[in-house]
Amino acid sequence: MSNARGVPDRYLPPGTDVRYDGRQDGGPEYGVVVHCWFEPEIGGYDCYVAFFGSERPPGKPDSKPYILHYAATSLTAV
């Protein structure tokens, strides 16, 4: 199974570093998968991701990440 860009659907384990490239206002956004599950309604995997913004901090972040919900096919593992 693939999305419209031909990216295959897959399970992303918690702790996987990811990049989201679909922002309307510019560059990529980096985060880490918190939870991923198969969602029958969409016929693929959905994920909760803790996002840090335009770059992943090397250690403890200065501020709390924000949690967003994306289909696994929207994310690139980095």
Side-chain angles (χ1 to χ4, degrees):
M1 188 177 335
S2 300
N3 71 1
R5 296 179 306 171
V7 176
D9 195 19
R10 77 275 192 222
Y11 172 80
L12 295 171
T16 302
D17 288 333
V18 294
R19 183 184 73 233
Y20 175 68
D21 294 320
R23 287 176 41 182
Q24 298 292 327
D25 62 348
E29 191 164 22
Y30 293 89
V32 62
V33 174
V34 176
H35 185 66
C36 190
W37 66 98
F38 185 79
E39 180 56 62
E41 279 189 33
I42 67 167
Y45 288 94
D46 258 346
C47 301
Y48 285 128
V49 180
F51 281 104
F52 298 96
S54 60
E55 60 185 46
R56 178 106 159 51
K60 182 179 177 183
D62 293 333
S63 58
K64 286 184 181 182
Y66 45 96
I67 306 293
L68 296 176
H69 177 236
Y70 283 104
T73 56
S74 299
L75 303 167
T76 302
V78 292

